[in-house]
Every structure is written in structure tokens, then in C-alpha cells.
Amino acid sequence: FTHLGGMLIGFLCGISTMERLSSDFFGMEQSCWSQTKQLLMRFFGLIISVIGIMVATIILLEGDGETTPCPRCEWLSCVPFPPWEGQSDKWWYCDDCGRVTADIIAGPNLHLQINCPDKTSVAVELDPDTDIDHESLEKELPTYCRELCPKTDVRF
């Protein structure tokens, strides 16, 4: 969400402070109306940019740093890519499963205890006859999370 706000403020600041090419460059004269329009664009772009920066600063300082000021705008911040791929073949995901942790429990039956993002736990049975490769299990944790955890905050 902040990326789009930064892009908009940058665009407005750029338009309002950008040096214009002279009319001689294109070989045509500017009318009084076009000069007035250009001056008004620069003035209002600068004013809107300053107001936008002030409003964004107030919103960010009022927040607690953990919640978003616009919960419905999450889809603006992250889009799983590429959209034509299946859920298991995305290059990146917009969920909390990338931070999931797990423990290997070697009790009566060998299983992987996954600590889901919503503070619940899910058990995955492991085959006791195979060697446990910690690296491959670590790579599979987000997949297990997306398949087994009840609420993974998947946005798409």
C-alpha cells in the first residue's frame, strides 16, 4: 500500500517541479491559456504533494505499526505472480506461510508439528523408515502450511 502512495507522491512532485521544455524546441508558441494551465498544474501538484505527505505522516504516526490503516487494500501491496500458474507453482505468495516454523516430534509415532501463522498447530505424519532431510523439510514447510493450516491469510 505504501509503494503506491510513494509512487503517487513522486509522480505529483515530479510533475510539479519538472523543468518544461521551451516552446521554441517544438517550433510553436504557447498561448496565454496553456501557460496559465501549466502554472496551475505545477502549483496544485506541489500543494497536493505536500498535503499528501502530511496526511500519510499523520496516518503512519497514528498507527500501531502492526495493523494496516486500510485492511481492504491488501491486494494493492502483493499480487502472487505469475497469475497463470497454479497455486503450487507461484514465484511468491501473499500469505504468512513463509514464516511458519515446525518441530520434529519423535514420540510414539514420528511426526512434524507445524506452528501455523494463526497460532494453531498441525501434525504431519513422517515415515519413520526414511532418513529425515532437514533442508528438504524446511523447503516444504510453506507448502504444508498452505495445505493444512486453517487460516493462512491467503489473499488470492
Side-chain angles (χ1 to χ4, degrees):
F1 189 65
T2 56
H3 294 77
L4 291 175
M7 182 185 74
L8 181 64
I9 296 295
F11 182 72
L12 289 172
C13 285
I15 284 182
S16 61
T17 59
M18 185 170 55
E19 186 66 34
R20 306 283 188 229
L21 291 175
S22 69
S23 59
D24 297 336
F25 181 80
F26 295 109
M28 51 191 228
E29 292 184 26
Q30 284 187 324
S31 67
C32 182
W33 168 246
S34 65
Q35 288 178 345
T36 305
K37 186 171 68 171
Q38 184 179 18
L39 185 63
L40 286 174
M41 280 276 278
R42 292 181 81 171
F43 176 74
F44 285 118
L46 192 59
I47 295 299
I48 291 172
S49 297
V50 170
I51 291 171
I53 290 171
M54 289 173 30
V55 168
T57 302
I58 290 170
I59 289 173
L60 290 174
L61 290 177
E62 292 289 322
D64 59 2
E66 293 180 10
T67 57
T68 178
C70 180
R72 298 271 184 205
C73 302
E74 287 182 357
W75 64 275
L76 293 173
S77 293
C78 183
V79 176
F81 191 79
W84 55 85
E85 292 290 339
Q87 185 65 17
S88 61
D89 297 327
K90 301 280 186 198
W91 295 350
W92 64 79
Y93 298 90
C94 299
D95 57 18
D96 296 327
C97 285
R99 300 182 304 222
V100 72
T101 60
D103 300 312
I104 297 176
I105 309 294
N109 53 355
L110 186 66
H111 66 278
L112 185 67
Q113 190 75 27
I114 299 174
N115 304 314
C116 296
D118 65 346
K119 308 292 187 231
T120 61
S121 294
V122 175
V124 176
E125 297 294 325
L126 297 175
D127 186 13
D129 297 331
T130 60
D131 290 333
I132 298 173
D133 182 20
H134 292 294
E135 289 182 21
S136 64
L137 277 177
E138 188 174 343
K139 287 180 183 177
E140 289 297 318
L141 279 180
T143 305
Y144 288 146
C145 172
R146 288 183 193 99
E147 291 173 0
L148 302 172
C149 289
K151 296 178 184 177
T152 56
D153 192 23
V154 176
R155 295 176 184 101
F156 290 95

mmCIF file of all heavy atoms in Angstrom, residues 115-137:
data_model
loop_
_atom_site.group_PDB
_atom_site.id
_atom_site.type_symbol
_atom_site.label_atom_id
_atom_site.label_comp_id
_atom_site.label_asym_id
_atom_site.label_seq_id
_atom_site.Cartn_x
_atom_site.Cartn_y
_atom_site.Cartn_z
ATOM 1 N N ASN A 115 3.754 -25.097 13.380
ATOM 2 C CA ASN A 115 3.165 -23.975 14.100
ATOM 3 C C ASN A 115 2.633 -22.985 13.071
ATOM 4 O O ASN A 115 3.384 -22.236 12.468
ATOM 5 C CB ASN A 115 4.204 -23.310 14.996
ATOM 6 C CG ASN A 115 4.822 -24.310 15.951
ATOM 7 O OD1 ASN A 115 4.114 -25.097 16.564
ATOM 8 N ND2 ASN A 115 6.136 -24.299 16.061
ATOM 9 N N CYS A 116 1.320 -22.996 12.868
ATOM 10 C CA CYS A 116 0.667 -22.196 11.829
ATOM 11 C C CYS A 116 0.689 -20.707 12.182
ATOM 12 O O CYS A 116 0.842 -20.345 13.339
ATOM 13 C CB CYS A 116 -0.774 -22.659 11.651
ATOM 14 S SG CYS A 116 -0.906 -24.352 11.044
ATOM 15 N N PRO A 117 0.520 -19.845 11.182
ATOM 16 C CA PRO A 117 0.514 -18.396 11.427
ATOM 17 C C PRO A 117 -0.607 -17.924 12.344
ATOM 18 O O PRO A 117 -0.476 -16.907 13.002
ATOM 19 C CB PRO A 117 0.343 -17.792 10.024
ATOM 20 C CG PRO A 117 0.767 -18.844 9.085
ATOM 21 C CD PRO A 117 0.479 -20.141 9.753
ATOM 22 N N ASP A 118 -1.712 -18.660 12.412
ATOM 23 C CA ASP A 118 -2.820 -18.248 13.282
ATOM 24 C C ASP A 118 -2.688 -18.822 14.688
ATOM 25 O O ASP A 118 -3.666 -18.906 15.424
ATOM 26 C CB ASP A 118 -4.155 -18.628 12.654
ATOM 27 C CG ASP A 118 -4.331 -20.132 12.539
ATOM 28 O OD1 ASP A 118 -3.337 -20.870 12.685
ATOM 29 O OD2 ASP A 118 -5.465 -20.579 12.305
ATOM 30 N N LYS A 119 -1.485 -19.235 15.058
ATOM 31 C CA LYS A 119 -1.151 -19.748 16.401
ATOM 32 C C LYS A 119 -1.734 -21.123 16.693
ATOM 33 O O LYS A 119 -1.802 -21.538 17.833
ATOM 34 C CB LYS A 119 -1.596 -18.771 17.501
ATOM 35 C CG LYS A 119 -1.122 -17.352 17.318
ATOM 36 C CD LYS A 119 0.357 -17.259 17.488
ATOM 37 C CE LYS A 119 0.761 -15.794 17.467
ATOM 38 N NZ LYS A 119 1.809 -15.482 16.585
ATOM 39 N N THR A 120 -2.166 -21.866 15.675
ATOM 40 C CA THR A 120 -2.594 -23.244 15.876
ATOM 41 C C THR A 120 -1.458 -24.169 15.458
ATOM 42 O O THR A 120 -0.472 -23.731 14.848
ATOM 43 C CB THR A 120 -3.853 -23.562 15.044
ATOM 44 O OG1 THR A 120 -3.549 -23.379 13.658
ATOM 45 C CG2 THR A 120 -5.018 -22.686 15.443
ATOM 46 N N SER A 121 -1.592 -25.432 15.783
ATOM 47 C CA SER A 121 -0.582 -26.421 15.418
ATOM 48 C C SER A 121 -1.225 -27.530 14.606
ATOM 49 O O SER A 121 -2.366 -27.917 14.865
ATOM 50 C CB SER A 121 0.065 -27.021 16.661
ATOM 51 O OG SER A 121 0.791 -26.044 17.342
ATOM 52 N N VAL A 122 -0.472 -28.027 13.634
ATOM 53 C CA VAL A 122 -0.938 -29.106 12.777
ATOM 54 C C VAL A 122 0.165 -30.154 12.736
ATOM 55 O O VAL A 122 1.354 -29.821 12.637
ATOM 56 C CB VAL A 122 -1.238 -28.590 11.345
ATOM 57 C CG1 VAL A 122 -1.613 -29.727 10.428
ATOM 58 C CG2 VAL A 122 -2.316 -27.540 11.365
ATOM 59 N N ALA A 123 -0.219 -31.417 12.806
ATOM 60 C CA ALA A 123 0.749 -32.514 12.768
ATOM 61 C C ALA A 123 0.753 -33.163 11.391
ATOM 62 O O ALA A 123 -0.295 -33.397 10.801
ATOM 63 C CB ALA A 123 0.417 -33.541 13.832
ATOM 64 N N VAL A 124 1.951 -33.452 10.903
ATOM 65 C CA VAL A 124 2.133 -34.162 9.635
ATOM 66 C C VAL A 124 2.904 -35.430 9.942
ATOM 67 O O VAL A 124 4.010 -35.378 10.511
ATOM 68 C CB VAL A 124 2.912 -33.299 8.611
ATOM 69 C CG1 VAL A 124 3.167 -34.083 7.340
ATOM 70 C CG2 VAL A 124 2.173 -32.025 8.311
ATOM 71 N N GLU A 125 2.327 -36.569 9.604
ATOM 72 C CA GLU A 125 2.988 -37.843 9.860
ATOM 73 C C GLU A 125 4.195 -37.998 8.944
ATOM 74 O O GLU A 125 4.129 -37.707 7.754
ATOM 75 C CB GLU A 125 2.013 -39.003 9.639
ATOM 76 C CG GLU A 125 0.827 -39.008 10.568
ATOM 77 C CD GLU A 125 1.228 -39.258 12.013
ATOM 78 O OE1 GLU A 125 2.173 -40.031 12.256
ATOM 79 O OE2 GLU A 125 0.586 -38.660 12.892
ATOM 80 N N LEU A 126 5.299 -38.462 9.511
ATOM 81 C CA LEU A 126 6.506 -38.731 8.737
ATOM 82 C C LEU A 126 6.769 -40.224 8.745
ATOM 83 O O LEU A 126 6.466 -40.922 9.715
ATOM 84 C CB LEU A 126 7.701 -37.989 9.344
ATOM 85 C CG LEU A 126 7.630 -36.465 9.358
ATOM 86 C CD1 LEU A 126 8.826 -35.896 10.093
ATOM 87 C CD2 LEU A 126 7.566 -35.916 7.947
ATOM 88 N N ASP A 127 7.367 -40.707 7.686
ATOM 89 C CA ASP A 127 7.698 -42.125 7.581
ATOM 90 C C ASP A 127 8.941 -42.403 8.423
ATOM 91 O O ASP A 127 10.013 -41.843 8.156
ATOM 92 C CB ASP A 127 7.937 -42.480 6.115
ATOM 93 C CG ASP A 127 8.137 -43.963 5.898
ATOM 94 O OD1 ASP A 127 7.856 -44.742 6.840
ATOM 95 O OD2 ASP A 127 8.568 -44.354 4.797
ATOM 96 N N PRO A 128 8.840 -43.235 9.442
ATOM 97 C CA PRO A 128 9.998 -43.475 10.312
ATOM 98 C C PRO A 128 11.123 -44.258 9.636
ATOM 99 O O PRO A 128 12.261 -44.254 10.115
ATOM 100 C CB PRO A 128 9.413 -44.261 11.488
ATOM 101 C CG PRO A 128 8.141 -44.837 10.987
ATOM 102 C CD PRO A 128 7.662 -43.952 9.885
ATOM 103 N N ASP A 129 10.837 -44.915 8.518
ATOM 104 C CA ASP A 129 11.852 -45.721 7.845
ATOM 105 C C ASP A 129 12.759 -44.910 6.941
ATOM 106 O O ASP A 129 13.810 -45.392 6.514
ATOM 107 C CB ASP A 129 11.184 -46.834 7.028
ATOM 108 C CG ASP A 129 10.413 -47.793 7.931
ATOM 109 O OD1 ASP A 129 10.823 -47.953 9.106
ATOM 110 O OD2 ASP A 129 9.405 -48.358 7.458
ATOM 111 N N THR A 130 12.371 -43.683 6.583
ATOM 112 C CA THR A 130 13.191 -42.866 5.689
ATOM 113 C C THR A 130 14.039 -41.895 6.502
ATOM 114 O O THR A 130 13.695 -41.518 7.623
ATOM 115 C CB THR A 130 12.305 -42.063 4.717
ATOM 116 O OG1 THR A 130 11.453 -41.211 5.468
ATOM 117 C CG2 THR A 130 11.486 -42.982 3.838
ATOM 118 N N ASP A 131 15.162 -41.522 5.915
ATOM 119 C CA ASP A 131 16.016 -40.526 6.552
ATOM 120 C C ASP A 131 15.355 -39.154 6.452
ATOM 121 O O ASP A 131 14.788 -38.805 5.424
ATOM 122 C CB ASP A 131 17.395 -40.470 5.872
ATOM 123 C CG ASP A 131 18.214 -41.719 6.142
ATOM 124 O OD1 ASP A 131 17.987 -42.345 7.200
ATOM 125 O OD2 ASP A 131 19.068 -42.057 5.304
ATOM 126 N N ILE A 132 15.473 -38.386 7.524
ATOM 127 C CA ILE A 132 14.873 -37.052 7.550
ATOM 128 C C ILE A 132 15.913 -36.048 7.089
ATOM 129 O O ILE A 132 16.967 -35.902 7.700
ATOM 130 C CB ILE A 132 14.379 -36.707 8.968
ATOM 131 C CG1 ILE A 132 13.306 -37.699 9.383
ATOM 132 C CG2 ILE A 132 13.868 -35.289 9.024
ATOM 133 C CD1 ILE A 132 12.869 -37.553 10.809
ATOM 134 N N ASP A 133 15.609 -35.403 5.988
ATOM 135 C CA ASP A 133 16.473 -34.349 5.458
ATOM 136 C C ASP A 133 15.898 -33.007 5.908
ATOM 137 O O ASP A 133 14.830 -32.597 5.453
ATOM 138 C CB ASP A 133 16.528 -34.442 3.934
ATOM 139 C CG ASP A 133 17.445 -33.395 3.323
ATOM 140 O OD1 ASP A 133 18.304 -32.855 4.047
ATOM 141 O OD2 ASP A 133 17.285 -33.118 2.119
ATOM 142 N N HIS A 134 16.600 -32.346 6.821
ATOM 143 C CA HIS A 134 16.089 -31.102 7.397
ATOM 144 C C HIS A 134 15.917 -30.009 6.354
ATOM 145 O O HIS A 134 14.959 -29.229 6.421
ATOM 146 C CB HIS A 134 17.016 -30.611 8.522
ATOM 147 C CG HIS A 134 17.001 -31.515 9.711
ATOM 148 N ND1 HIS A 134 15.896 -31.685 10.496
ATOM 149 C CD2 HIS A 134 17.964 -32.305 10.253
ATOM 150 C CE1 HIS A 134 16.164 -32.528 11.473
ATOM 151 N NE2 HIS A 134 17.412 -32.926 11.339
ATOM 152 N N GLU A 135 16.801 -29.924 5.375
ATOM 153 C CA GLU A 135 16.695 -28.889 4.349
ATOM 154 C C GLU A 135 15.452 -29.076 3.486
ATOM 155 O O GLU A 135 14.747 -28.107 3.178
ATOM 156 C CB GLU A 135 17.951 -28.873 3.480
ATOM 157 C CG GLU A 135 19.170 -28.339 4.187
ATOM 158 C CD GLU A 135 20.385 -28.299 3.276
ATOM 159 O OE1 GLU A 135 20.215 -28.302 2.035
ATOM 160 O OE2 GLU A 135 21.496 -28.271 3.803
ATOM 161 N N SER A 136 15.190 -30.306 3.074
ATOM 162 C CA SER A 136 14.009 -30.536 2.239
ATOM 163 C C SER A 136 12.727 -30.324 3.040
ATOM 164 O O SER A 136 11.742 -29.807 2.510
ATOM 165 C CB SER A 136 14.035 -31.932 1.624
ATOM 166 O OG SER A 136 13.954 -32.913 2.633
ATOM 167 N N LEU A 137 12.729 -30.708 4.320
ATOM 168 C CA LEU A 137 11.563 -30.441 5.154
ATOM 169 C C LEU A 137 11.337 -28.943 5.326
ATOM 170 O O LEU A 137 10.207 -28.464 5.293
ATOM 171 C CB LEU A 137 11.726 -31.084 6.535
ATOM 172 C CG LEU A 137 11.364 -32.552 6.655
ATOM 173 C CD1 LEU A 137 11.644 -33.049 8.056
ATOM 174 C CD2 LEU A 137 9.930 -32.794 6.282
#
